[in-house]
Amino acid sequence: MTLRRPCPKGQCRQCWSHAYDRDIHRRLKPGEDCQPCISHMGGKCPPDQIQQ
């Protein structure tokens, strides 16, 4: 997956890609929540996802 904007150090790669790649959420129905986004809400990003 090529990100449209590179993920800066200290940021979660998944959260960054979901914020800046519109194609990821395109498959969701109106009003449907993205489960990977919900699991990361509130700073619950796993340490292995943080860009070094």
Side-chain angles (χ1 to χ4, degrees):
M1 166 181 62
T2 303
L3 295 176
R4 296 178 183 179
R5 295 179 65 180
C7 182
K9 290 182 180 180
Q11 296 293 319
C12 174
R13 290 187 300 269
Q14 178 181 305
C15 291
W16 191 261
S17 64
H18 279 237
Y20 292 103
D21 187 353
R22 295 177 188 221
D23 293 334
I24 292 173
H25 294 125
R26 189 165 285 161
R27 63 179 173 75
L28 296 175
K29 297 174 185 167
E32 183 180 2
D33 292 326
C34 175
Q35 292 305 313
C37 287
I38 290 174
S39 71
H40 282 225
M41 279 184 174
K44 298 176 189 170
C45 303
D48 64 320
Q49 289 286 324
I50 304 300
Q51 181 72 24
Q52 299 298 320

